[in-house]
Amino acid sequence: MNAAALIFSNIHDASLPELTEMRTMASVPFGCRYRLIDFPLSNLVNADITNVGIITHYNYQSLIDHIGTGKDWDLARRSGGIRILSPFITAFENSASGKVYTTRLEALMGTTNFLSRATEEYIVLSDSDIVCNLDWNDVMKQHIRTEADITIVTVKANSEKEELSNHIHVIRADDEGRIIDCSEYDGEKGNINISTNFMLMKRTYLLGIVRDAMAHGDSHFFRDVIYRDRLSKRFFAYRFEGKYCMISSMASYFRANMTLLDPEFRKGIFEVGNRPIYTKVRNSAPTHYLEGSKVTNSYIADGCVIEGTVENSIIFRGCKVGKGTTIRNSILMQDTYTGADVLLNCVITDKNAVIKDGRMLSGCEERPYFLPKGTMV
């Protein structure tokens, strides 16, 4: 596929402040061994898109540690490959103030060098807050067939069953898929088509948008580009019908991880055609299940030691579940330690949390109990 790509790593950090205090949204751990950026990166690599820029803002040390040279995604290359695009001081602010971008369009203003140097005909834009397995080749086929200026990937959501934040954009298209209207979500009920913020367009077209925005003081991609030009330009929606989950809060993050325990959903993410999900490879010992341990309907990474009971839970690498301990409906991130006779229900622990003997912690699905990184209880 003759395309380069830009991934926004920080755009939605405010949606998940508990987990993005010391990392980007893109580097939030997910599903035992993955980070959220693994999904957009894998989607790109599976479509043979190998020139990828990652737009950063702040707190991106863990993102750099995870990506490294990009070899785990076959992106350690002489030509193209993966590169971190550091923050951009907007042209409309005094550089002495140290203010960096606050919107998607302002973030793109800092990528003109990347866009100008790329030789690919098309450019893909991707966020990091959606877990899915998307076929970009199919998106490209529709884009070319419809002679679109911009193709936006949309999904159907039920606002009465799913949590939708106000930064989500509702997309309305005609029978041919041409976008006729878009607006920020305002509480509309029922089934609606929403933007994933995955977009495809010609690289020169995006450069024109960015330069025009810099000249006229535009700052909002949907309001100042999509909505303004929706009738004069050919903007189309690509309706993604596969499994997906959108991370917009701690509750939705909890539900998204728990949904992985559904075999049908897990198959729709990790077993779609010849499109695997890649992540950083670690050489850890297999998980050790000691006598008396019991595990049901759980997703457990390698390098763990399990002495107690684990039910309906996600356990990351290097965790220790003590003797007599029961973990239910919980997410334990890397190197979490639980002592003996602990009871956890609807709990999320960040990395290196320590829970002493005999502790009982409980939350609920809408408000999971959260332990920050390095916490001892």
Side-chain angles (χ1 to χ4, degrees):
M1 184 169 168
N2 185 21
L6 289 169
I7 298 177
F8 298 88
S9 68
N10 288 93
I11 285 289
H12 300 299
D13 283 5
S15 300
L16 202 61
E18 300 93 338
L19 292 174
T20 58
E21 182 180 1
M22 301 181 67
R23 58 169 72 91
T24 68
M25 176 67 91
S27 55
V28 167
F30 182 83
C32 279
R33 56 195 298 264
Y34 300 92
R35 304 284 183 125
L36 289 180
I37 197 170
D38 293 335
F39 297 91
L41 261 184
S42 299
N43 291 336
L44 295 172
V45 171
N46 290 332
D48 200 28
I49 299 173
T50 57
N51 184 11
V52 181
I54 300 178
I55 305 173
T56 59
H57 193 293
Y58 59 95
N59 277 350
Y60 52 93
Q61 182 61 55
S62 64
L63 181 62
I64 294 174
D65 293 341
H66 179 69
I67 291 173
T69 62
K71 66 181 179 64
D72 294 300
W73 298 267
D74 193 26
L75 291 174
R77 298 165 177 253
R78 283 178 174 270
S79 177
I82 195 166
R83 68 195 70 182
I84 301 293
L85 305 179
S86 55
F88 173 67
I89 307 298
T90 70
F92 313 101
E93 300 290 343
N94 183 349
S95 61
S97 70
K99 184 173 181 178
V100 294
Y101 68 81
T102 58
T103 68
R104 185 181 308 276
L105 195 51
E106 287 180 355
L108 287 170
M109 293 175 190
T111 67
T112 52
N113 188 49
F114 175 89
L115 293 172
S116 299
R117 291 190 174 191
T119 58
E120 291 81 2
E121 183 178 2
Y122 294 93
I123 190 78
V124 164
L125 302 182
S126 176
D127 281 3
S128 303
D129 63 334
I130 295 181
V131 174
C132 69
N133 194 323
L134 172 66
D135 185 357
W136 277 109
N137 285 313
D138 198 46
V139 180
M140 175 67 82
K141 289 177 183 177
Q142 177 185 302
H143 184 81
I144 294 173
R145 184 181 71 251
T146 57
E147 299 180 339
D149 292 310
I150 298 177
T151 297
I152 301 175
V153 179
T154 65
V155 293
K156 181 179 288 187
N158 188 322
S159 60
E160 297 177 7
K161 296 181 179 179
E162 301 179 42
E163 180 181 346
L164 302 179
S165 60
N166 56 12
H167 73 258
I168 288 173
H169 288 86
V170 179
I171 302 294
R172 298 173 181 84
D174 61 20
D175 293 339
E176 295 180 349
R178 184 166 181 173
I179 295 173
I180 55 177
D181 196 14
C182 71
S183 61
E184 291 186 353
Y185 174 69
D186 60 358
E188 183 179 345
K189 301 298 183 182
N191 292 321
I192 54 176
N193 288 314
I194 61 174
S195 169
T196 61
N197 295 317
F198 295 166
M199 305 182 204
L200 174 66
M201 67 199 79
K202 285 195 173 181
R203 180 179 55 85
T204 52
Y205 188 82
L206 179 59
L207 266 173
I209 289 175
V210 171
R211 288 168 177 162
D212 188 63
M214 294 174 72
H216 294 91
D218 297 336
S219 61
H220 196 281
F221 196 93
F222 272 86
R223 184 181 63 237
D224 297 330
V225 178
I226 303 299
Y227 182 78
R228 182 192 63 196
D229 297 337
R230 70 193 186 286
L231 301 180
S232 60
K233 304 293 184 182
R234 294 181 63 81
F235 299 156
F236 278 77
Y238 173 92
R239 295 183 176 91
F240 177 65
E241 303 289 349
K243 302 292 186 182
Y244 81 94
C245 51
M246 185 174 292
I247 312 297
S248 59
S249 67
M250 185 61 86
S252 64
Y253 173 79
F254 178 82
R255 285 194 299 270
N257 276 273
M258 292 297 105
T259 306
L260 288 180
L261 300 177
D262 176 2
E264 197 66 29
F265 181 85
R266 191 165 63 245
K267 183 177 180 180
I269 297 294
F270 297 107
E271 301 176 31
V272 181
N274 190 27
R275 303 201 303 271
I277 302 298
Y278 302 98
T279 189
K280 183 178 181 179
V281 176
R282 296 179 184 271
N283 295 319
S284 301
T287 289
H288 191 192
Y289 299 91
L290 299 180
E291 185 177 353
S293 63
K294 181 182 178 181
V295 177
T296 56
N297 192 36
S298 296
Y299 203 14
I300 299 180
D302 51 10
C304 298
V305 177
I306 310 295
E307 289 189 78
T309 299
V310 181
E311 300 175 1
N312 305 318
S313 295
I314 305 289
I315 311 296
F316 283 72
R317 294 182 175 105
C319 290
K320 167 70 186 299
V321 176
K323 187 174 183 180
T325 289
T326 299
I327 313 294
R328 293 193 181 101
N329 311 309
S330 296
I331 303 167
L332 305 187
M333 291 192 194
Q334 187 173 321
D335 296 325
T336 292
Y337 175 89
T338 65
D341 301 317
V342 171
L343 176 60
L344 302 183
N345 179 58
C346 290
V347 172
I348 300 176
T349 69
D350 207 333
K351 296 172 64 175
N352 299 304
V354 176
I355 303 170
K356 296 181 179 179
D357 296 351
R359 299 296 193 259
M360 299 177 64
L361 305 175
S362 181
C364 65
E365 290 186 4
E366 295 305 316
R367 278 191 176 273
Y369 190 99
F370 175 66
L371 290 178
K373 185 176 181 179
T375 300
M376 180 178 290
V377 178

